[in-house]
Amino acid sequence: MLLIFLSWIYILFSTINFGFIFDKIIGTKNNNFVVTSVLGLFFTTILASIWAIFGRINIEFHLVLLFFNMLLVLKYKFSILNIYKQFLLDFKKLEKVLKLILILITLLIIAQCSTAPFVIDNESYYIQTIKWLNEYGFVKGIANLHIYLGQTSGWHITQSIFNFSFLYKNFNDLSGFCLFLGSIFSVQKLNEFYQNKKTNYLIIGLLPLFNVFLFQFISAPSPDIPVYVFSFVLFFYFLDNFKKTTTESFYLIVILVLFLIYIKNTTIAFAIIPIILFLLHFKLLSKKLIKPVLLSVILLSLYIIKNMIICGGPVFPSKLFSSLETSYAIPNAIGSAYYDSIKHYGYFVNEFQYNTMSVKDLFLKWLFLPKLNGLFDKTIVTIMLITPFLIYKFQNKKSLWILYFVMLFQMFLLFVTSPQYRFFMNFVMFFLFFC
């Protein structure tokens, strides 16, 4: 636990520094401690992704990272120090009960991170993916060795930075650090709810109630945790800035969406959010698109380059743009079999059942799956059915309707691909609190 805590101190130090300078470059004018750290995670992920094209993410990368850390501290020490001072002031403003809750949550998160992970994907490809990144960076055609290695999430790139593999082999606790950031953000918003009584502050503030569920993922570098946490941060800023969107808040929302998609491409539905904001505030934002467009191009380029190196094609696991595939691309038979197996697994059926069952039968099979799968499947369907009535009656706001339709679009994409409950839990948590 002590080693994890010490590693988190350095991660926090690094992400605050890089988040601060990234904020100055992009101009989000952010003043939230947690968001600054998230911006730092995003920026270091971009840097590591570029680095991994040419070499391993290991001690060499950390020496460069440490050099820039020192440089930033020396040049902006007072500004960076003010970020920590503001966080301490915000912590002191918390209700005494909330302070105790936040401290307890932090201790429990660190304790859980110190235990052995029991996420199946951790043994099948998480740690292997990160190990390859640590030792070689992006490896040409590595997906042919094992197709799971083709997934290489943006979060695994981030974890490969902060697992300090050259010091200790078991530091894969970045998802726990992410939940720690999410807990701080939620408790702060819950404290603010006591003053402003805004519903969106309460909903975001209740995120720690799901820690019992989330704890099963945090001892492994699961991309699901950052998706859940960053989704809540995104939902908050979208709801809070919907009517009075500024250039700065739009930039932040774009960054959060880009980070989510880079971490897990099943979150592609979130791309609707900045597009809608842009259309609604066209006059304000149309002349301020250079930075978000440039960031989007950089992330899209890195995503394609990563996949071209690892898988031999621009998109994984899809066979879209097959004309662009390289000579070492995953064979069509294997790629198709893998893609089909993902679809079958989402419904817990075999290939024959999937091909012979009607859409209605597949839906009912999915809906009445046993254990947690069936529970959350029934929950999301119930939420989709009753939420429109609740929004209309209690919170008839365009921003909530938009999030509701984003959820519907996300569910449609999942039904077509693989409707696993892990992929829509962010919406389950958010709208369950709303209901």
Side-chain angles (χ1 to χ4, degrees):
M1 286 179 63
L2 179 60
L3 290 176
I4 293 172
F5 177 71
L6 292 174
S7 71
W8 283 10
I9 290 175
Y10 178 74
I11 294 171
L12 192 63
F13 168 74
S14 296
T15 55
I16 291 295
N17 292 342
F18 279 88
F20 166 78
I21 195 63
F22 186 69
D23 178 72
K24 285 184 71 71
I25 294 169
I26 300 300
T28 62
K29 295 183 181 179
N30 162 66
N31 57 6
N32 183 279
F33 184 80
V34 169
V35 173
T36 302
S37 184
V38 173
L39 292 175
L41 288 169
F42 178 71
F43 191 29
T44 52
T45 302
I46 292 175
L47 297 176
S49 298
I50 297 170
W51 185 283
I53 297 171
F54 306 100
R56 63 180 191 165
I57 304 174
N58 209 293
I59 191 169
E60 304 87 355
F61 182 81
H62 270 278
L63 290 174
V64 174
L65 202 69
L66 183 61
F67 171 76
F68 282 107
N69 263 322
M70 295 298 103
L71 201 65
L72 290 170
V73 169
L74 289 174
K75 186 171 177 60
Y76 300 105
K77 58 182 177 182
F78 294 112
S79 298
I80 292 173
L81 191 61
N82 285 336
I83 296 173
Y84 292 100
K85 287 181 178 178
Q86 184 59 50
F87 172 68
L88 290 174
L89 287 174
D90 291 339
F91 182 77
K92 290 177 181 178
K93 290 178 183 177
L94 295 177
E95 298 286 337
K96 187 176 291 185
V97 175
L98 292 180
K99 287 179 184 176
L100 293 173
I101 290 173
L102 183 56
I103 292 170
L104 179 61
I105 289 173
T106 302
L107 292 173
L108 290 174
I109 290 174
I110 295 174
Q112 178 63 22
C113 286
S114 67
T115 63
F118 53 93
V119 177
I120 295 174
D121 288 343
N122 186 64
E123 310 303 325
S124 62
Y125 76 97
Y126 286 176
I127 55 177
Q128 293 90 335
T129 299
I130 293 164
K131 183 67 173 177
W132 279 99
L133 289 168
N134 285 147
E135 297 301 324
Y136 302 102
F138 296 150
V139 178
K140 182 178 176 180
I142 189 68
N144 288 290
L145 180 64
H146 197 301
I147 198 164
Y148 283 6
L149 297 174
Q151 298 187 53
T152 308
S153 162
W155 190 245
H156 293 144
I157 298 171
T158 317
Q159 178 66 83
S160 71
I161 305 169
F162 295 114
N163 68 340
F164 311 105
S165 60
F166 53 91
L167 294 176
Y168 184 61
K169 65 179 182 179
N170 291 328
F171 281 140
N172 283 317
D173 309 297
L174 195 62
S175 292
F177 176 78
C178 183
L179 186 59
F180 163 66
L181 292 178
S183 298
I184 295 174
F185 189 82
S186 296
V187 169
Q188 285 177 335
K189 298 311 167 189
L190 186 59
N191 191 69
E192 291 175 40
F193 167 74
Y194 295 144
Q195 281 80 46
N196 60 34
K197 303 301 179 183
K198 293 183 178 179
T199 305
N200 56 312
Y201 283 73
L202 175 62
I203 294 172
I204 302 303
L206 294 176
L207 175 62
L209 292 180
F210 262 94
N211 278 357
V212 174
F213 167 74
L214 299 176
F215 269 34
Q216 67 177 306
F217 300 109
I218 61 174
S219 54
S222 169
D224 295 317
I225 291 295
V227 166
Y228 301 154
V229 171
F230 299 160
S231 294
F232 265 64
V233 177
L234 172 64
F235 294 158
F236 172 79
Y237 281 101
F238 173 70
L239 293 172
D240 208 45
N241 295 277
F242 179 75
K243 288 185 177 180
K244 297 180 179 179
T245 299
T246 62
T247 304
E248 294 77 19
S249 62
F250 179 71
Y251 286 172
L252 178 57
I253 288 169
V254 169
I255 290 166
L256 290 169
V257 169
L258 288 174
F259 202 6
L260 281 163
I261 295 172
Y262 195 58
I263 289 170
K264 210 171 184 74
N265 56 17
T266 54
T267 61
I268 189 66
F270 285 136
I272 296 172
I273 292 175
I275 291 172
I276 289 176
L277 282 178
F278 172 71
L279 294 175
L280 291 175
H281 303 277
F282 181 79
K283 288 184 179 180
L284 172 67
L285 301 174
S286 58
K287 297 178 182 179
K288 304 286 186 178
L289 284 180
I290 294 177
K291 289 179 180 178
V293 168
L294 184 60
L295 268 179
S296 300
V297 170
I298 291 172
L299 261 292
L300 178 61
S301 300
L302 286 173
Y303 177 78
I304 292 173
I305 291 169
K306 169 178 73 73
N307 286 334
M308 290 296 290
I309 295 173
I310 293 171
C311 311
V315 181
F316 179 87
S318 172
K319 280 295 178 180
L320 293 172
F321 312 109
S322 57
S323 60
L324 300 175
E325 290 181 349
T326 63
S327 59
Y328 55 86
I330 300 167
N332 284 331
I334 296 175
S336 298
Y338 174 70
Y339 182 68
D340 290 341
S341 69
I342 294 174
K343 290 195 293 184
H344 304 158
Y345 180 77
Y347 292 97
F348 279 58
V349 295
N350 57 38
E351 183 179 4
F352 176 78
Q353 290 174 312
Y354 185 85
N355 291 330
T356 56
M357 292 172 72
S358 66
V359 173
K360 177 185 174 182
D361 290 337
L362 278 174
F363 175 75
L364 292 175
K365 169 73 174 176
W366 170 82
L367 187 63
F368 293 101
L369 287 173
K371 301 180 181 179
L372 276 181
N373 294 281
L375 174 64
F376 289 127
D377 294 348
K378 294 179 185 70
T379 302
I380 191 66
V381 170
T382 304
I383 286 171
M384 287 192 293
L385 292 175
I386 68 172
T387 296
F389 301 101
L390 295 175
I391 293 177
Y392 181 77
K393 186 172 183 179
F394 299 108
Q395 292 282 329
N396 197 4
K397 298 178 180 178
K398 286 183 180 178
S399 55
L400 282 170
W401 282 111
I402 290 170
L403 286 184
Y404 173 73
F405 285 114
V406 170
M407 175 180 67
L408 292 184
F409 183 56
Q410 170 89 342
M411 291 305 301
F412 168 76
L413 293 178
L414 291 177
F415 279 127
V416 173
T417 54
S418 183
Q420 299 176 45
Y421 75 84
R422 294 185 297 119
F423 299 161
F424 54 77
M425 275 304 299
N426 45 356
F427 286 109
V428 168
M429 291 187 288
F430 179 82
F431 281 106
L432 199 60
F433 291 146
F434 174 78
C435 294

